[in-house]
């Protein structure tokens, strides 16, 4: 059993428990449930923004503790002030140290698209995502059968949410692409070995139809890499650990994005 299998097995138990504690009807009474969604697609592809989806993540199965002291309010506001296009917030507690409250806090202090980063296997979690203030959900191709993934994506659209599908290889991409998706992310980190290779992104970017917003995820630590990935065909980039491992994640993000602007031809007019 690899780490994804362990996470999904635990997630099934967790969802069953949460359904018993907080019924769907109660989730639908949230102040965020009727709020208009802020489009991840629109913000990531806005030429005046960096395309960076900045992530708040306390720990991970591969790295252990990353930053247990960081505060959601300060970090998320700092990310957006630094020039991020959007936020990603881990809400899985068991393996990533996150919570639904983390996302709700980020929502209260930021007007921008927020991705709920979790392991979604059930419609209940999508209703929950809307109720805590998310604009976009993550569906992981490696964790879902293609038909099930499409069903969940369609359900998300009914609630007005956008959908980012994450793939790790060509096989996952080929079997899981469907018209209910908005963004397709390529995760450069192998689920089996945890090794990171940007070759994964470069190898798959041309295989993703242009109607989807293309995101490169994981292992991005150099602003020049963003310039190269952008030239390669990516619209956006999900970066978390590179910022979060700093004592001051928002400052790390600010420095990174400023350097990216200096290096990127897209921002030359702003820096002259």
């Amino acid at each position: 059993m690899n780490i994804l299998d362990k996470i999904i097995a635990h997630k099934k138990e967790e969802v069953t428990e949460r359904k018993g504690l907080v019924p769907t009807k109660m989730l639908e009474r949230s102040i965020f449930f009727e709020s208009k969604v802020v489009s991840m697609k629109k913000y990531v592809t806005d030429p005046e923004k960096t395309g960076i989806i900045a992530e708040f993540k306390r720990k991970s199965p591969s790295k252990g503790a990353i930053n247990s002291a960081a505060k959601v309010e300060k970090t998320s506001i700092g990310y957006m002030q630094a020039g991020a296009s959007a936020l990603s917030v881990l809400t899985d507690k068991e393996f990533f140290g996150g919570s639904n409250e983390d996302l709700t806090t980020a929502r209260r202090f930021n007007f921008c698209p927020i991705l709920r980063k979790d392991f979604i296997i059930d419609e209940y979690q999508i209703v929950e995502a809307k109720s805590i203030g998310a604009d976009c959900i993550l569906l992981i191709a490696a964790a879902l059968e293609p038909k099930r993934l499409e069903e969940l994506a369609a359900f998300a659209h009914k609630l007005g949410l956008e959908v980012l599908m994450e793939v790790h290889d060509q096989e996952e991409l080929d079997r899981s692409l469907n018209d209910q998706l908005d963004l397709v992310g390529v995760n450069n980190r192998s689920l089996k070995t945890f090794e990171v290779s940007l070759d994964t992104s470069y190898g798959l970017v041309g295989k993703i139809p242009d109607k989807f917003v293309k995101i490169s995820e994981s292992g991005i630590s150099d602003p020049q890499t963003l310039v190269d990935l952008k030239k390669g065909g990516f619209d956006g980039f999900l970066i978390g650990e590179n910022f979060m491992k700093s004592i001051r994640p928002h400052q790390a993000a600010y420095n990174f994005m400023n350097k990216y602007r200096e290096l990127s031809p897209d921002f030359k007019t702003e820096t002259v």
Side-chain angles (χ1 to χ4, degrees):
M1 183 181 281
N2 64 30
I3 187 62
L4 181 62
D5 293 333
K6 290 179 182 177
I7 292 171
I8 296 303
H10 183 273
K11 194 60 61 175
K12 288 177 180 177
E13 296 177 2
E14 181 185 299
V15 171
T16 299
E17 181 181 349
R18 291 187 72 85
K19 282 180 176 178
L21 292 171
V22 187
T24 300
K25 290 293 182 184
M26 190 176 294
L27 293 176
E28 292 173 348
R29 290 202 290 269
S30 160
I31 59 171
F32 300 112
F33 199 78
E34 297 301 328
S35 300
K36 186 177 180 181
V37 166
V38 187
S39 174
M40 182 75 72
K41 290 189 297 184
K42 181 179 178 181
Y43 272 59
V44 167
T45 57
D46 185 336
E48 295 186 4
K49 300 182 186 298
T50 60
I52 293 173
I53 304 170
E55 186 161 274
F56 186 86
K57 176 168 67 173
R58 291 190 175 88
K59 68 176 187 178
S60 75
S62 61
K63 298 288 184 177
I66 298 170
N67 190 334
S68 56
K71 303 298 183 185
V72 180
E73 177 184 344
K74 185 174 184 178
T75 303
S76 62
I77 292 172
Y79 279 167
M80 297 313 298
Q81 289 177 338
S85 292
L87 296 170
S88 170
V89 179
L90 264 297
T91 57
D92 174 80
K93 181 179 181 180
E94 182 73 13
F95 297 92
F96 290 87
S99 69
N100 287 351
E101 290 72 26
D102 286 343
L103 195 148
T104 299
T105 298
R107 173 79 291 153
R108 287 198 182 104
F109 290 98
N110 298 277
F111 182 83
C112 67
I114 302 181
L115 170 70
R116 184 193 187 182
K117 189 86 173 287
D118 211 315
F119 299 82
I120 290 180
I121 55 171
D122 191 281
E123 283 83 357
Y124 178 86
Q125 293 165 284
I126 300 175
V127 176
E128 191 176 52
K130 189 76 165 71
S131 76
I132 61 177
D135 304 288
C136 185
I137 62 161
L138 176 73
L139 295 178
I140 303 172
L144 297 161
E145 291 297 322
K147 184 174 182 295
R148 183 63 178 140
L149 190 148
E150 186 171 4
E151 289 171 351
L152 291 170
F155 184 82
H157 278 171
K158 286 180 181 177
L159 295 184
L161 296 167
E162 292 185 348
V163 179
L164 165 64
M165 180 182 75
E166 177 180 289
V167 300
H168 298 82
D169 55 42
Q170 180 81 53
E171 182 187 356
E172 290 177 8
L173 180 67
D174 290 343
R175 73 169 188 252
S176 301
L177 274 179
N178 66 77
D179 291 335
Q180 298 296 329
L181 308 173
D182 301 289
L183 310 94
V184 176
V186 178
N187 194 328
N188 299 306
R189 178 175 284 112
S190 167
L191 283 171
K192 296 176 182 177
T193 65
F194 289 121
E195 291 180 359
V196 174
S197 174
L198 290 168
D199 290 342
T200 307
S201 276
Y202 289 119
L204 291 181
V205 64
K207 313 288 185 181
I208 304 170
D210 289 337
K211 68 177 181 176
F212 301 113
V213 174
K214 304 176 186 183
I215 309 293
S216 182
E217 308 172 9
S218 299
I220 301 171
S221 58
D222 184 345
Q224 182 61 48
T225 301
L226 263 65
V227 177
D228 297 339
L229 287 167
K230 187 87 170 179
K231 288 179 182 176
F234 282 98
D235 303 295
F237 323 94
L238 195 148
I239 305 175
E241 187 179 308
N242 189 59
F243 301 150
M244 290 299 298
K245 67 184 180 182
S246 168
I247 296 173
R248 302 175 69 203
H250 59 288
Q251 185 64 49
Y254 179 81
N255 295 341
F256 186 98
M257 292 184 212
N258 271 357
K259 186 63 177 177
Y260 173 52
R261 289 186 183 96
E262 291 174 11
L263 293 170
S264 175
D266 296 338
F267 291 102
K268 291 303 181 188
T269 54
E270 294 182 18
T271 55
V272 169

